[in-house]
Amino acid sequence: MNDRPFDGGPSWRVVRTLTDGTPVTIRPITPEDREDLRAGIAALSPASRYFRFLQLQGPPSDELLDYLVHVDQKTHVAIGAEIVSPDLKTTRGVGVARFIRLEDNIAEAAVTVADDMHRRGVATVLLAELLRAAEVRGIERFRAEIAADNASMRTILDRAGAKQVEDLGSAITYELALNPSHTATFYEVLKDAAESKAAWITRHALPMVAQASRLLR
Ligand SMILES: CC(C)(COP(=O)(O)OP(=O)(O)OC[C@H]1O[C@@H](n2cnc3c(N)ncnc32)[C@H](O)[C@@H]1OP(=O)(O)O)[C@@H](O)C(=O)NCCC(=O)NCCS
Protein backbone atom coordinates (compact mmCIF):
# COMPACT_ATOMS: atom_id res chain seq x y z
CA MET A 1 0.00 0.00 0.00
CA ASN A 2 1.19 3.52 -0.62
CA ASP A 3 -0.17 6.99 -0.27
CA ARG A 4 0.98 8.47 -3.55
CA PRO A 5 -1.55 9.89 -6.01
CA PHE A 6 -2.64 7.34 -8.61
CA ASP A 7 0.23 7.03 -11.09
CA GLY A 8 -1.56 4.78 -13.61
CA GLY A 9 0.16 1.57 -12.45
CA PRO A 10 -2.06 -1.52 -11.99
CA SER A 11 -0.78 -2.23 -8.47
CA TRP A 12 -1.59 1.21 -7.01
CA ARG A 13 -3.84 1.04 -3.95
CA VAL A 14 -4.78 3.35 -1.08
CA VAL A 15 -6.94 2.53 1.92
CA ARG A 16 -9.38 5.10 3.30
CA THR A 17 -12.01 5.00 6.03
CA LEU A 18 -15.69 5.66 5.40
CA THR A 19 -17.68 7.80 7.79
CA ASP A 20 -19.06 4.67 9.53
CA GLY A 21 -15.51 3.37 10.09
CA THR A 22 -15.53 0.83 7.23
CA PRO A 23 -12.12 0.57 5.50
CA VAL A 24 -12.32 1.00 1.73
CA THR A 25 -9.61 0.26 -0.82
CA ILE A 26 -9.29 2.55 -3.83
CA ARG A 27 -7.68 0.91 -6.86
CA PRO A 28 -7.50 1.27 -10.66
CA ILE A 29 -10.34 -0.04 -12.83
CA THR A 30 -9.09 -2.76 -15.22
CA PRO A 31 -10.70 -4.82 -18.01
CA GLU A 32 -11.26 -7.61 -15.45
CA ASP A 33 -13.87 -5.38 -13.78
CA ARG A 34 -16.14 -5.55 -16.86
CA GLU A 35 -18.72 -8.06 -15.56
CA ASP A 36 -18.80 -6.60 -12.05
CA LEU A 37 -19.42 -3.21 -13.60
CA ARG A 38 -22.21 -4.64 -15.74
CA ALA A 39 -23.85 -6.06 -12.60
CA GLY A 40 -23.25 -2.86 -10.65
CA ILE A 41 -24.86 -0.64 -13.30
CA ALA A 42 -27.78 -3.07 -13.70
CA ALA A 43 -28.34 -2.92 -9.93
CA LEU A 44 -28.48 0.90 -9.80
CA SER A 45 -31.84 2.44 -9.01
CA PRO A 46 -33.47 4.12 -12.03
CA ALA A 47 -32.74 7.52 -10.45
CA SER A 48 -29.02 6.79 -9.93
CA ARG A 49 -28.70 5.35 -13.43
CA TYR A 50 -30.35 8.42 -14.89
CA PHE A 51 -28.21 10.80 -12.80
CA ARG A 52 -25.00 9.07 -13.92
CA PHE A 53 -25.72 8.15 -17.52
CA LEU A 54 -28.62 10.49 -18.38
CA GLN A 55 -29.66 8.71 -21.62
CA LEU A 56 -28.99 5.11 -20.61
CA GLN A 57 -32.06 2.92 -20.28
CA GLY A 58 -31.90 -0.78 -19.49
CA PRO A 59 -28.68 -2.70 -19.00
CA PRO A 60 -25.37 -1.26 -20.27
CA SER A 61 -24.29 -2.34 -23.77
CA ASP A 62 -21.06 -4.28 -24.39
CA GLU A 63 -19.68 -1.20 -26.17
CA LEU A 64 -20.34 1.02 -23.14
CA LEU A 65 -18.73 -1.51 -20.80
CA ASP A 66 -15.67 -1.78 -23.05
CA TYR A 67 -15.38 1.98 -23.01
CA LEU A 68 -15.67 2.10 -19.20
CA VAL A 69 -13.01 -0.54 -18.47
CA HIS A 70 -10.46 -0.15 -21.30
CA VAL A 71 -8.92 3.05 -20.01
CA ASP A 72 -5.39 4.30 -20.60
CA GLN A 73 -5.20 5.82 -17.08
CA LYS A 74 -3.68 8.96 -18.64
CA THR A 75 -6.39 10.72 -20.66
CA HIS A 76 -9.15 8.45 -19.30
CA VAL A 77 -8.58 7.66 -15.65
CA ALA A 78 -10.91 5.32 -13.74
CA ILE A 79 -10.64 4.19 -10.13
CA GLY A 80 -12.94 2.02 -8.04
CA ALA A 81 -13.70 1.60 -4.35
CA GLU A 82 -14.10 -1.83 -2.80
CA ILE A 83 -14.91 -3.14 0.64
CA VAL A 84 -14.38 -6.55 2.20
CA SER A 85 -17.42 -8.69 2.99
CA PRO A 86 -18.28 -9.26 6.68
CA ASP A 87 -16.94 -12.86 6.47
CA LEU A 88 -13.68 -11.44 5.00
CA LYS A 89 -13.93 -13.91 2.10
CA THR A 90 -14.86 -11.64 -0.80
CA THR A 91 -14.59 -8.03 -1.88
CA ARG A 92 -17.32 -5.91 -3.36
CA GLY A 93 -17.02 -2.90 -5.64
CA VAL A 94 -19.09 -0.05 -4.21
CA GLY A 95 -18.22 2.91 -6.43
CA VAL A 96 -16.35 4.17 -9.46
CA ALA A 97 -14.98 7.60 -10.32
CA ARG A 98 -13.38 8.67 -13.58
CA PHE A 99 -12.28 11.59 -15.63
CA ILE A 100 -11.77 12.01 -19.34
CA ARG A 101 -9.46 14.73 -20.62
CA LEU A 102 -11.47 16.90 -22.98
CA GLU A 103 -9.19 19.64 -24.21
CA ASP A 104 -6.14 21.40 -22.91
CA ASN A 105 -6.24 20.97 -19.17
CA ILE A 106 -9.96 20.35 -18.65
CA ALA A 107 -11.45 16.94 -17.86
CA GLU A 108 -15.01 15.67 -17.59
CA ALA A 109 -15.49 13.89 -14.26
CA ALA A 110 -18.12 11.40 -13.11
CA VAL A 111 -18.76 9.29 -10.02
CA THR A 112 -21.24 6.55 -9.14
CA VAL A 113 -21.82 4.80 -5.81
CA ALA A 114 -23.98 1.70 -5.20
CA ASP A 115 -27.33 2.85 -3.82
CA ASP A 116 -27.05 0.89 -0.57
CA MET A 117 -23.69 2.59 0.13
CA HIS A 118 -24.83 6.20 -0.23
CA ARG A 119 -24.04 8.77 2.48
CA ARG A 120 -21.06 6.91 3.90
CA GLY A 121 -18.39 8.98 2.19
CA VAL A 122 -17.62 6.67 -0.75
CA ALA A 123 -17.93 9.48 -3.33
CA THR A 124 -15.88 11.77 -1.12
CA VAL A 125 -12.91 9.39 -0.90
CA LEU A 126 -13.13 8.51 -4.61
CA LEU A 127 -13.28 12.16 -5.67
CA ALA A 128 -10.41 13.08 -3.39
CA GLU A 129 -8.24 10.44 -5.10
CA LEU A 130 -9.51 11.47 -8.54
CA LEU A 131 -8.50 15.06 -7.78
CA ARG A 132 -5.01 13.97 -6.76
CA ALA A 133 -4.69 11.83 -9.91
CA ALA A 134 -5.85 14.75 -12.06
CA GLU A 135 -3.44 17.20 -10.47
CA VAL A 136 -0.40 15.03 -11.22
CA ARG A 137 -1.56 14.72 -14.84
CA GLY A 138 -1.68 18.48 -15.28
CA ILE A 139 -5.48 18.81 -15.25
CA GLU A 140 -6.50 22.27 -14.06
CA ARG A 141 -10.28 22.04 -14.14
CA PHE A 142 -12.94 19.35 -13.76
CA ARG A 143 -16.18 19.80 -15.66
CA ALA A 144 -19.38 17.91 -14.90
CA GLU A 145 -22.83 18.08 -16.45
CA ILE A 146 -25.34 17.35 -13.72
CA ALA A 147 -29.12 16.85 -13.94
CA ALA A 148 -30.72 19.86 -12.27
CA ASP A 149 -32.60 17.58 -9.84
CA ASN A 150 -29.43 15.71 -8.77
CA ALA A 151 -29.36 17.26 -5.30
CA SER A 152 -26.67 14.92 -3.90
CA MET A 153 -24.08 15.68 -6.57
CA ARG A 154 -24.90 19.36 -6.57
CA THR A 155 -24.30 19.45 -2.80
CA ILE A 156 -20.94 17.73 -3.22
CA LEU A 157 -19.90 20.14 -5.98
CA ASP A 158 -21.05 23.19 -4.03
CA ARG A 159 -19.15 22.03 -0.98
CA ALA A 160 -16.01 21.50 -3.09
CA GLY A 161 -16.24 25.08 -4.37
CA ALA A 162 -17.35 24.26 -7.96
CA LYS A 163 -18.94 27.03 -10.01
CA GLN A 164 -21.95 26.77 -12.32
CA VAL A 165 -20.80 27.71 -15.83
CA GLU A 166 -23.96 26.82 -17.79
CA ASP A 167 -27.60 26.33 -16.82
CA LEU A 168 -29.74 24.64 -19.46
CA GLY A 169 -32.70 24.21 -17.13
CA SER A 170 -32.75 20.40 -16.96
CA ALA A 171 -28.93 20.15 -16.74
CA ILE A 172 -26.28 22.32 -15.15
CA THR A 173 -22.60 22.36 -16.06
CA TYR A 174 -20.18 22.86 -13.18
CA GLU A 175 -16.48 23.54 -13.23
CA LEU A 176 -14.11 22.94 -10.36
CA ALA A 177 -10.68 24.57 -10.45
CA LEU A 178 -8.17 22.06 -9.11
CA ASN A 179 -5.50 22.97 -6.69
CA PRO A 180 -4.07 21.21 -3.66
CA SER A 181 -6.34 23.13 -1.32
CA HIS A 182 -9.40 21.51 -2.92
CA THR A 183 -7.99 18.07 -2.35
CA ALA A 184 -7.21 19.05 1.22
CA THR A 185 -10.75 20.37 1.62
CA PHE A 186 -12.20 17.01 0.61
CA TYR A 187 -10.07 15.23 3.20
CA GLU A 188 -10.92 17.78 5.88
CA VAL A 189 -14.65 17.49 5.18
CA LEU A 190 -14.46 13.72 5.34
CA LYS A 191 -12.25 13.71 8.41
CA ASP A 192 -14.61 16.04 10.24
CA ALA A 193 -17.65 13.96 9.25
CA ALA A 194 -15.92 10.71 10.23
CA GLU A 195 -14.80 12.11 13.57
CA SER A 196 -18.21 13.47 14.46
CA LYS A 197 -19.93 10.21 13.45
CA ALA A 198 -17.34 8.13 15.36
CA ALA A 199 -17.83 10.36 18.40
CA TRP A 200 -21.63 9.94 18.14
CA ILE A 201 -21.24 6.14 17.95
CA THR A 202 -18.95 6.13 21.00
CA ARG A 203 -21.23 8.46 22.99
CA HIS A 204 -24.64 7.03 22.08
CA ALA A 205 -24.66 3.81 20.05
CA LEU A 206 -22.07 1.79 22.01
CA PRO A 207 -23.70 2.48 25.43
CA MET A 208 -27.06 1.48 23.90
CA VAL A 209 -25.58 -1.81 22.63
CA ALA A 210 -23.98 -2.42 26.04
CA GLN A 211 -27.31 -1.72 27.78
CA ALA A 212 -29.18 -4.02 25.36
CA SER A 213 -26.73 -6.86 25.89
CA ARG A 214 -27.02 -6.40 29.71
CA LEU A 215 -30.82 -6.67 29.40
CA LEU A 216 -30.51 -9.86 27.37
CA ARG A 217 -28.21 -11.56 29.87
C1 LIG B 1 -23.89 11.58 -5.99
C2 LIG B 1 -23.30 10.33 -5.34
C3 LIG B 1 -22.09 9.90 -6.17
C4 LIG B 1 -22.88 10.64 -3.90
O1 LIG B 1 -22.23 9.51 -3.37
P1 LIG B 1 -22.12 9.26 -1.79
O2 LIG B 1 -21.07 8.23 -1.60
O3 LIG B 1 -23.44 9.00 -1.23
O4 LIG B 1 -21.59 10.68 -1.28
P2 LIG B 1 -20.89 10.96 0.11
O5 LIG B 1 -21.34 9.97 1.13
O6 LIG B 1 -19.42 11.07 -0.11
O7 LIG B 1 -21.51 12.35 0.47
C5 LIG B 1 -20.74 13.50 0.64
C6 LIG B 1 -21.63 14.65 0.99
O8 LIG B 1 -22.47 14.99 -0.09
C7 LIG B 1 -23.75 15.40 0.40
N1 LIG B 1 -24.77 14.43 -0.02
C8 LIG B 1 -24.57 13.22 -0.59
N2 LIG B 1 -25.76 12.63 -0.86
C9 LIG B 1 -26.72 13.51 -0.46
C10 LIG B 1 -28.14 13.50 -0.47
N3 LIG B 1 -28.84 12.45 -0.96
N4 LIG B 1 -28.81 14.57 0.00
C11 LIG B 1 -28.13 15.65 0.49
N5 LIG B 1 -26.77 15.70 0.55
C12 LIG B 1 -26.08 14.65 0.07
C13 LIG B 1 -23.66 15.41 1.91
O9 LIG B 1 -23.20 16.69 2.28
C14 LIG B 1 -22.59 14.38 2.13
O10 LIG B 1 -21.90 14.51 3.34
P3 LIG B 1 -22.57 13.98 4.72
O11 LIG B 1 -23.16 12.61 4.46
O12 LIG B 1 -21.42 13.95 5.67
O13 LIG B 1 -23.61 14.99 5.05
C15 LIG B 1 -24.33 9.16 -5.29
O14 LIG B 1 -25.52 9.68 -4.75
C16 LIG B 1 -24.60 8.54 -6.63
O15 LIG B 1 -23.93 7.59 -7.04
N6 LIG B 1 -25.62 9.03 -7.35
C17 LIG B 1 -25.96 8.50 -8.66
C18 LIG B 1 -24.93 8.84 -9.73
C19 LIG B 1 -24.68 10.33 -9.79
O16 LIG B 1 -25.55 11.15 -9.56
N7 LIG B 1 -23.44 10.69 -10.14
C20 LIG B 1 -23.09 12.10 -10.29
C21 LIG B 1 -23.17 12.55 -11.69
S1 LIG B 1 -21.82 11.99 -12.63
Side-chain angles (χ1 to χ4, degrees), residues 19 44 47-53 109-115 117-125 127 144-147 150-156 159 189-190 193 197:
T19 51
L44 287 175
S48 288
R49 194 178 312 182
Y50 166 70
F51 285 149
R52 168 60 182 88
F53 295 101
V111 58
T112 317
V113 173
D115 286 80
M117 290 296 293
H118 285 183
R119 297 305 290 271
R120 298 196 209 177
V122 178
T124 306
V125 292
L127 288 171
E145 191 181 314
I146 306 296
N150 190 348
S152 333
M153 196 60 205
R154 291 186 64 183
T155 305
I156 291 176
R159 277 173 51 167
V189 165
L190 184 72
K197 281 182 190 171

Side-chain angles (χ1 to χ4, degrees), residues 102-182:
L102 297 175
E103 57 187 81
D104 298 330
N105 296 329
I106 301 181
E108 176 100 33
V111 58
T112 317
V113 173
D115 286 80
D116 65 320
M117 290 296 293
H118 285 183
R119 297 305 290 271
R120 298 196 209 177
V122 178
T124 306
V125 292
L126 277 169
L127 288 171
E129 287 312 315
L130 200 69
L131 284 167
R132 296 209 303 159
E135 277 164 14
V136 296
R137 286 162 181 77
I139 300 291
E140 290 170 5
R141 269 180 293 159
F142 269 169
R143 185 177 292 168
E145 191 181 314
I146 306 296
D149 51 351
N150 190 348
S152 333
M153 196 60 205
R154 291 186 64 183
T155 305
I156 291 176
L157 288 165
D158 288 339
R159 277 173 51 167
K163 302 273 176 272
Q164 292 185 22
V165 293
E166 193 174 31
D167 186 345
L168 297 174
S170 61
I172 295 170
T173 304
Y174 282 85
E175 278 193 7
L176 176 67
L178 306 197
N179 59 51
S181 69
H182 276 125

Side-chain angles (χ1 to χ4, degrees), residues 2-209:
N2 65 65
D3 209 37
R4 285 176 292 114
F6 177 38
D7 54 7
S11 59
W12 176 87
R13 303 274 185 282
V14 292
V15 176
R16 300 286 179 243
T17 307
L18 299 182
T19 51
D20 62 2
T22 306
V24 60
T25 301
I26 314 286
R27 65 163 179 81
I29 292 291
T30 72
E32 285 72 53
D33 293 312
R34 194 172 187 271
E35 293 315 308
D36 282 347
L37 209 56
R38 186 196 299 278
I41 294 172
L44 287 175
S45 66
S48 288
R49 194 178 312 182
Y50 166 70
F51 285 149
R52 168 60 182 88
F53 295 101
L54 299 178
Q55 272 94 29
L56 178 68
Q57 284 167 2
S61 65
D62 288 343
E63 290 73 25
L64 175 62
L65 288 167
D66 283 340
Y67 175 72
L68 295 174
V69 298
H70 290 282
V71 294
D72 63 8
Q73 304 293 18
K74 293 182 193 122
T75 57
H76 184 170
V77 168
I79 53 176
E82 64 186 16
I83 58 172
V84 177
S85 64
D87 63 5
L88 306 181
K89 288 189 178 149
T90 53
T91 56
R92 175 193 168 204
V94 292
V96 175
R98 69 184 64 238
F99 72 76
I100 296 142
R101 190 187 280 267
L102 297 175
E103 57 187 81
D104 298 330
N105 296 329
I106 301 181
E108 176 100 33
V111 58
T112 317
V113 173
D115 286 80
D116 65 320
M117 290 296 293
H118 285 183
R119 297 305 290 271
R120 298 196 209 177
V122 178
T124 306
V125 292
L126 277 169
L127 288 171
E129 287 312 315
L130 200 69
L131 284 167
R132 296 209 303 159
E135 277 164 14
V136 296
R137 286 162 181 77
I139 300 291
E140 290 170 5
R141 269 180 293 159
F142 269 169
R143 185 177 292 168
E145 191 181 314
I146 306 296
D149 51 351
N150 190 348
S152 333
M153 196 60 205
R154 291 186 64 183
T155 305
I156 291 176
L157 288 165
D158 288 339
R159 277 173 51 167
K163 302 273 176 272
Q164 292 185 22
V165 293
E166 193 174 31
D167 186 345
L168 297 174
S170 61
I172 295 170
T173 304
Y174 282 85
E175 278 193 7
L176 176 67
L178 306 197
N179 59 51
S181 69
H182 276 125
T183 315
T185 304
F186 258 92
Y187 283 121
E188 281 312 309
V189 165
L190 184 72
K191 196 164 116 303
D192 290 350
E195 278 171 3
S196 65
K197 281 182 190 171
W200 188 92
I201 289 168
T202 311
R203 262 199 323 274
H204 302 286
L206 293 182
M208 277 192 277
V209 171

